[in-house]
Amino acid sequence: MKTVILGIESSCDDTSAAVVADGILLSNVIASQQVHEEYGGVVPELASRAHQQNIVPVVDAAIRRAGISKADLSAIAFTRGPGLLGSLLVGTSFAKGLSLGLRIPIVDVNHLHGHVLSHFVRETPDGRVPTFPYLCLLVSGGNSQLILVKGYNDMEILGRTIDDAAGEAFDKCAKVMGLPYPGGPYIDRLAAEGDARRFKFAKPHIQGLDYSFSGLKTSFLYTLRDGIKADADFIEKNKADLAASLQATIIAILLDKLEKAVRQTGVKTVAIGGGVSANSGVRAAVADFCAAHELEAFIPERKFTTDNAAMVAIAGYFKYLDGIFCPYDSTPYARVEV
Ligand code: KG4
């Protein structure tokens, strides 16, 4: 009999459900929430209400597209945290209710573990997957971490951001440039047409493998602002060069610590994950770095970089195989490290 896992992701503003059978992805449905666009950021209360509307049709579609029925499920994996509490509560409560109805276990998944294990999401049995140990650069809207992955359920954080995450650096700088939220993809597009050497922004001097992006943000602001007012003309004329220089600085900061971590650990495999790993510059820089150092690179398909339930289902699958289940009295958590 196959091990069939339903994954549910509701940590932020995407409601997603996926089905994995014996480690192979059968379906992955994502309902993104447009309601936040006009606010320039995710509004937690609106997010949880939208999750409540979306969760039943999204799970239903995932099961149908997988060509299975509810009775085929072995367990339900859900994101328990970190994320927005109200949003997490929708997925957690739904997973508990459905599992009680079907008399199958629940498996809680750390959202960050999901990103790290997203490289094991395979749509065909011959898909390439990393071998342990590997180093994962996890770069998202809320986290920037260097993680040594020793096994499916055995990870060690080697470095983390002490202030902003890489995605926040993209988004906050984009916001002062007047770009829509989230600004990362807009910077990515603009950067392709700009001169990355035009502007110089501050880089951090932090010991060890930790990251910092707040100094970069401040120096970006100073370049843009005359007094406290953003100079709209200056931004308009220089937006491509600003974006290219910003992106290049973020990449340099990320790669500097990645290189140190590779030297310290001696790993032969490097993976990236999280929303910022969709960035064209980050992807190219990591691929070039790995080629130059004879490392095997794992760059996720763009659809698996942002929040999705496929990664939750696969992380849940590996916990299920190790017999790690979740009690019914467990509650979501907003913040946690790997
Ligand atoms: O992992 P993720 O979906 O969720 C959160 O942690 O919130 O990451 C979202 C982040 C945002 O900061 C967004 O701007 C960034 O990923 N992002 C990008 C790109 N696509 C998404 N940043 C730079 N370039 C991109 N192409």
Side-chain angles (χ1 to χ4, degrees):
M1 222 173 75
K2 285 194 169 180
T3 300
V4 185
I5 309 287
L6 169 69
I8 295 175
E9 158 65 33
S10 72
S11 64
C12 191
D13 59 343
D14 294 305
T15 320
S16 181
V19 174
V20 160
D22 283 347
I24 306 297
L25 184 68
L26 299 184
S27 66
N28 186 34
V29 177
I30 305 178
S32 298
Q33 304 177 359
Q34 260 76 50
V35 62
H36 309 286
E37 266 166 26
E38 60 183 293
Y39 299 96
V42 176
V43 183
E45 181 56 32
L46 294 179
S48 30
R49 285 168 195 235
H51 282 304
Q52 277 182 319
Q53 284 179 340
N54 293 342
I55 191 123
V56 172
V58 165
V59 168
D60 193 47
I63 289 175
R64 260 188 298 114
R65 283 186 207 172
I68 60 155
S69 79
K70 290 199 291 282
D72 298 319
L73 294 174
S74 314
I76 301 168
F78 65 98
T79 304
R80 192 170 151 211
L84 301 171
L85 270 184
S87 294
L88 290 163
L89 203 54
V90 177
T92 305
S93 311
F94 185 86
K96 287 180 185 175
L98 186 59
S99 90
L100 281 168
L102 296 173
R103 296 174 189 277
I104 53 173
I106 42 172
V107 181
D108 61 324
V109 170
N110 176 327
H111 181 78
L112 305 178
H113 278 197
H115 277 304
V116 171
L117 296 178
S118 61
H119 297 279
F120 292 93
V121 175
R122 287 178 300 159
E123 287 168 284
T124 57
D126 51 1
R128 198 174 67 102
V129 293
T131 42
F132 300 117
Y134 68 94
L135 198 62
C136 183
L137 173 63
L138 175 60
V139 272
S140 69
N143 292 277
S144 299
Q145 296 182 341
L146 276 164
I147 301 160
L148 181 62
V149 191
K150 301 174 204 166
Y152 298 118
N153 296 309
D154 186 7
M155 304 179 191
E156 184 188 343
I157 301 178
L158 303 179
R160 56 173 74 73
T161 181
I162 58 167
D163 40 56
D164 285 348
E168 271 175 292
F170 272 110
D171 297 343
K172 288 177 177 173
C173 293
K175 189 167 187 173
V176 288
M177 282 175 71
L179 296 171
Y181 176 86
Y186 293 90
I187 298 283
D188 193 350
R189 257 171 267 146
L190 278 173
E193 287 143 34
D195 175 3
R197 285 158 306 180
R198 170 86 190 285
F199 297 100
K200 292 268 172 290
F201 303 121
K203 289 197 195 123
H205 298 279
I206 310 279
Q207 294 295 311
L209 296 175
D210 284 342
Y211 283 114
S212 165
F213 288 97
S214 70
L216 161 64
K217 191 179 62 188
T218 310
S219 80
F220 187 82
L221 261 181
Y222 272 91
T223 306
L224 243 59
R225 285 178 179 224
D226 171 19
I228 55 162
K229 247 173 106 4
D231 180 340
D233 269 359
F234 176 80
I235 294 173
E236 187 50 38
K237 280 195 200 105
N238 298 290
K239 60 185 180 198
D241 291 349
L242 283 164
S245 305
L246 171 69
Q247 181 168 298
T249 313
I250 293 176
I251 293 170
I253 296 171
L254 291 173
L255 268 281
D256 175 47
K257 296 295 167 101
L258 178 65
E259 182 167 13
K260 279 200 182 102
V262 167
R263 250 188 286 125
Q264 275 180 27
T265 56
V267 293
K268 296 277 173 265
T269 305
V270 166
I272 55 173
V276 177
S277 68
N279 182 271
S280 328
V282 170
R283 296 166 79 86
V286 171
D288 289 351
F289 167 78
C290 288
H293 292 81
E294 293 179 3
L295 302 164
E296 200 183 354
F298 282 85
I299 316 273
E301 274 182 63
R302 278 204 166 79
K303 66 180 173 192
F304 295 131
T305 57
T306 46
D307 294 348
N308 65 85
M311 67 183 198
V312 176
I314 202 76
Y317 171 68
F318 292 123
K319 279 183 101 169
Y320 179 91
L321 293 184
D322 279 355
I324 310 171
F325 301 108
C326 171
Y328 280 104
D329 60 359
S330 47
T331 49
Y333 47 81
R335 294 189 166 274
V336 78
E337 286 166 346
V338 166

